[in-house]
Amino acid sequence: EIIFGTIGIHPHEADKNKISKSKIIENSKFSKKIIGIGETGLDFFYNNSVKKNQIKSFENHINACLELKIPLIVHSRNAEMDTFNILNNYKNSELKILMHCFTGSLEFAKKLMDLNCYFSASGIITFKNSSDLRNTFKFIPNDKIIIETDSPFLAPMPMRGKKNEPSFIKY
């Protein structure tokens, strides 16, 4: 009763799982416990999917969110400008945005703040080499910050290297 979910196609899968806005909407209606769309977005670090397919998938997810009036959970890696430009196209809409596992720059965060985004911090924020990220999160208002585990990945210090789990959120 207390567990809810989201539905979406990760950008790594955009080539293999081409999905229309209508299919996202149809799949999200299987359960009243689907409260968001995603994780979707752009990942130009690994390039597991062609850029144009990632962009099309991302836009389909955004449009489904607008129709369903539920939040969008966004993955963005090595794609700050493209991610912002796409989201900015919906600036005057009712789009609710959560930047999942945010590791972006301060400049990117500032631009996203103009879109009324929320930002989630994962275990990455505890890593020794993440001082820039910690400083970025100091800039973000507390009411726009969410903490996540991203289980089973990205365990925080001092649990780094282990399989991440919800009980590690305290770190």
Side-chain angles (χ1 to χ4, degrees):
E1 300 258 330
I2 62 170
I3 297 174
F4 296 85
T6 65
I7 189 167
I9 302 296
H10 192 280
H12 289 180
E13 304 298 321
D15 286 351
K16 295 179 230 153
N17 294 298
K18 294 181 180 157
I19 190 164
S20 66
K21 175 185 99 169
S22 60
K23 195 66 162 171
I24 296 167
I25 290 169
E26 177 187 328
N27 287 331
S28 72
K29 291 184 177 178
F30 280 123
S31 171
K32 292 185 189 301
K33 292 190 155 217
I34 299 299
I35 59 169
I37 301 294
E39 166 182 359
T40 184
L42 305 174
D43 191 317
F44 302 150
F45 182 79
Y46 288 112
N47 286 314
N48 288 337
S49 291
V50 176
K51 182 177 181 176
K52 70 177 178 117
N53 291 341
Q54 290 186 48
I55 290 169
K56 180 66 176 162
S57 178
F58 189 26
E59 290 172 338
N60 285 340
H61 284 80
I62 291 168
N63 288 311
C65 284
L66 289 169
E67 189 165 323
L68 294 166
K69 296 182 178 17
I70 58 177
L72 176 72
I73 293 84
V74 178
H75 172 104
S76 180
R77 187 162 186 200
N78 283 34
E80 288 187 1
M81 185 185 316
D82 290 299
T83 300
F84 174 75
N85 288 338
I86 290 168
L87 292 173
N88 196 46
N89 288 333
Y90 300 88
K91 184 175 185 167
N92 296 321
S93 69
E94 300 277 323
L95 188 62
K96 299 172 187 121
I97 305 165
L98 170 62
M99 298 304 296
H100 158 72
C101 195
F102 187 75
T103 57
S105 67
L106 176 59
E107 294 74 29
F108 187 36
K110 287 178 179 178
K111 288 179 179 180
L112 292 169
M113 297 269 303
D114 288 339
L115 301 178
N116 200 28
C117 288
Y118 290 81
F119 302 82
S120 66
S122 69
I124 293 173
I125 205 164
T126 68
F127 298 176
K128 290 178 186 167
N129 63 350
S130 293
S131 60
D132 286 346
L133 182 60
R134 284 190 291 279
N135 287 330
T136 296
F137 269 90
K138 287 178 185 175
F139 167 80
I140 300 169
N142 287 343
D143 67 345
K144 295 291 182 181
I145 297 174
I146 295 170
I147 301 191
E148 68 167 295
T149 61
D150 201 28
S151 296
F153 310 107
L154 306 172
M157 298 299 287
M159 307 311 248
R160 191 164 181 191
K162 296 183 177 176
K163 184 177 178 182
N164 201 0
E165 60 180 68
S167 70
F168 295 170
I169 202 81
K170 64 186 176 186
Y171 299 107

